[in-house]
Amino acid sequence: LQCTVEPSVVVEKLQQEAEKQGLFYPPDPASLKASTIGGSIAQSSGGPRGFKYGTTKDYVLGLEVVLADGTIIKTGGTTVKNVTGYNLTQLLVGSEGTLGVVTSATLRLIPKPEQRQVLLACFDTAEKAVEAVTGIISAKITPSTLDIMDKNTMQTIEKFHQTGLPTDMDAVLVIEVDGFEEAVKIQTAQIMDICQKYGAQNIRASQNQQEADELWFARRSAFGAVARLRPNVLTEDTVVPRDKIPHMFRRIREIAEKHRLTVCIMGHIGDGNIHPNFSLDLRDKDEAHRFELAAAEIFEAALELGGTLSGEHGIGYHKLAYMEKAVGKKNLELMRAIKNIFDPNGILNPGKGIV
Ligand SMILES: Cc1cc2nc3c(=O)[nH]c(=O)nc-3n(C[C@H](O)[C@H](O)[C@H](O)COP(=O)(O)OP(=O)(O)OC[C@H]3O[C@@H](n4cnc5c(N)ncnc54)[C@H](O)[C@@H]3O)c2cc1C
């Protein structure tokens, strides 16, 4: 139940090879057709399946890494358990390429689920959709995916792809349940009941693999479609505790309206991980400035609600200014000290993540 791969292996290719063996590599960033294992380890990428299966960090057992001085180290290994010293593997996962270059990775695989069912539940207000998410989680059901797309996102997808999304609705939930056939059947029925109870106007359940693929195509083409709307798209990646999701969703809409910005909201709502995608023309200095103000208010709102700046995209350059507020002064000092030990000359992704 594991494999060792080079960093340039593309995530989708690894998933396909694993599935041929009846196995499963769950991390599924929307960019999985292009995302490499090296990049996804550097970012600890997640995706729609994170709700049930976690993110890349949960699948990395061991790494081979080239350090800034050229030394090659191996961390972790092929054992499932390992508490021998500090966990350097997990320190490197999600470090945005600032501590070393991954040259090989040993990854955990799991058995492939027997059955999958995709549902699309449509709501006339995003609030109802978000409440249905709380209802599903409170009923102790763990779908493999619990994602949301708002009206702007659906309208944008339909503009370019015509996938049949209900563009008159305010939001849809994309829900996938997987596991043994009987369990999938029972959970699908429970989820449909809950969505109806919270006011779903229409629920579409995939009847076969082709329909499931079509629903996934709609979800996965969301970012690409938004990116085609205007010259630029800037995506935020905030995470809030699950009980604060309705509040955060509302705040994002208020902030976008206040700053006269077009926002398409999608995300892994079950994880509290919301992606507001701002469609912009950065050549317009006023609009670029309004985006900066909006992003700052979104970060503030996430932190006030007990959340954080990034769930899966990392800090990069854009969120650096908010790091101290997000993690605290002492933690930031420790992170800088770690960076300094690994990379005293600052040659690995300079200016990114930790400065
Ligand atoms: C359309 C689109 C959709 C996306 N959807 C998601 C999503 O759903 N979930 C998500 O988590 N992310 C998403 N992302 C962000 C990003 O694509 C993913 O995090 C992806 O997994 C990163 O892999 P990559 O190969 O593209 O890395 P790159 O973008 O090439 O690199 C990312 C970072 O990793 C570093 N890096 C690359 N290889 C190594 C290595 N071998 N060792 C050390 N550092 C390395 C790079 O220097 C860089 O800082 C999306 C991006 C796009 C454009």
Side-chain angles (χ1 to χ4, degrees):
L1 294 177
Q2 54 185 248
C3 62
T4 297
V5 293
E6 293 183 358
S8 57
V9 169
V10 170
V11 171
E12 186 182 57
K13 181 75 180 152
L14 171 61
Q15 289 176 342
Q16 288 165 348
E17 291 302 315
E19 291 197 13
K20 282 184 197 162
Q21 313 284 330
L23 297 172
F24 186 36
Y25 179 69
D28 60 339
S31 53
L32 56 79
K33 283 183 188 303
S35 165
T36 61
I37 290 298
S40 64
I41 288 173
Q43 302 301 125
S44 191
S45 302
R49 293 191 195 121
F51 183 66
K52 179 171 180 179
Y53 292 107
T55 60
T56 302
K57 69 177 186 325
D58 301 303
Y59 296 87
V60 183
L61 294 173
L63 294 173
E64 180 189 86
V65 179
V66 179
L67 299 179
D69 65 0
T71 313
I72 298 173
I73 60 162
K74 288 192 176 190
T75 70
T78 54
T79 57
V80 179
K81 288 182 169 179
N82 186 341
V83 287
T84 313
Y86 295 141
N87 193 336
L88 293 180
T89 308
Q90 290 299 329
L91 177 61
L92 287 151
V93 176
S95 63
E96 301 188 44
T98 60
L99 302 180
V101 178
V102 174
T103 47
S104 173
T106 300
L107 304 171
R108 191 166 75 86
L109 303 171
I110 60 174
K112 187 181 162 196
E114 186 181 292
Q115 182 94 12
R116 285 193 179 125
Q117 170 80 61
V118 187
L119 299 165
L120 195 74
C122 315
F123 295 83
D124 60 359
T125 70
E127 285 74 17
K128 287 182 192 167
V130 173
E131 280 165 14
V133 168
T134 310
I136 293 167
I137 296 171
S138 305
K140 302 182 183 64
I141 302 171
T142 310
S144 47
T145 294
L146 204 38
D147 270 17
I148 196 166
M149 296 189 287
D150 75 346
K151 187 177 202 151
N152 278 354
T153 306
M154 287 190 281
Q155 288 180 344
T156 307
I157 294 170
E158 289 307 302
K159 191 173 168 143
F160 298 108
H161 296 297
Q162 297 86 45
T163 63
L165 288 170
T167 50
D168 54 333
M169 290 285 127
D170 196 34
V172 292
L173 294 179
V174 180
I175 306 166
E176 186 184 79
V177 189
D178 70 0
F180 292 112
E181 197 176 338
E182 264 315 292
V184 168
K185 227 184 262 172
I186 294 167
Q187 292 196 337
T188 300
Q190 287 175 322
I191 289 171
M192 288 173 98
D193 282 350
I194 293 168
C195 287
Q196 261 154 8
K197 184 177 144 201
Y198 284 92
Q201 305 270 315
N202 181 25
I203 305 174
R204 221 165 101 191
S206 62
Q207 299 302 320
N208 50 46
Q209 191 55 45
Q210 191 190 336
E211 281 186 29
D213 290 346
E214 282 166 12
L215 292 175
W216 269 118
F217 173 78
R219 169 65 186 96
R220 291 203 190 282
S221 46
F223 181 85
V226 176
R228 286 168 70 182
L229 261 188
R230 298 189 63 208
N232 306 98
V233 58
L234 291 173
T235 303
E236 293 308 342
D237 178 36
T238 52
V239 199
V240 291
R242 286 185 183 133
D243 61 334
K244 299 295 189 306
I245 295 170
H247 197 103
M248 190 64 200
F249 209 90
R250 233 182 354 261
R251 283 293 293 133
I252 291 169
R253 284 185 157 178
E254 286 165 4
I255 291 167
E257 197 179 324
K258 175 178 159 194
H259 294 289
R260 291 175 286 117
L261 293 166
T262 302
V263 67
C264 296
I265 307 177
M266 60 186 90
H268 318 304
I269 196 87
D271 293 327
N273 188 191
I274 306 171
H275 298 312
N277 294 278
F278 290 91
S279 180
L280 307 158
D281 183 348
L282 290 175
R283 293 168 301 186
D284 177 342
K285 296 290 169 225
D286 178 58
E287 191 174 30
H289 177 63
R290 282 184 277 121
F291 166 74
E292 288 304 330
L293 296 176
E297 287 178 28
I298 286 174
F299 297 149
E300 292 288 344
L303 296 178
E304 268 167 31
L305 293 170
T308 192
L309 303 179
S310 175
E312 49 185 32
H313 294 175
I315 297 304
Y317 303 112
H318 181 59
K319 303 183 190 76
L320 276 175
Y322 303 91
M323 275 295 279
E324 185 169 328
K325 186 143 197 200
V327 301
K329 194 166 186 283
K330 189 67 196 172
N331 283 6
L332 188 56
E333 274 172 30
L334 287 169
M335 290 183 197
R336 285 180 177 142
I338 290 168
K339 167 72 177 169
N340 198 40
I341 290 169
F342 274 81
D343 182 21
N345 297 318
I347 60 170
L348 295 170
N349 272 346
K352 237 187 223 184
I354 299 293
V355 175

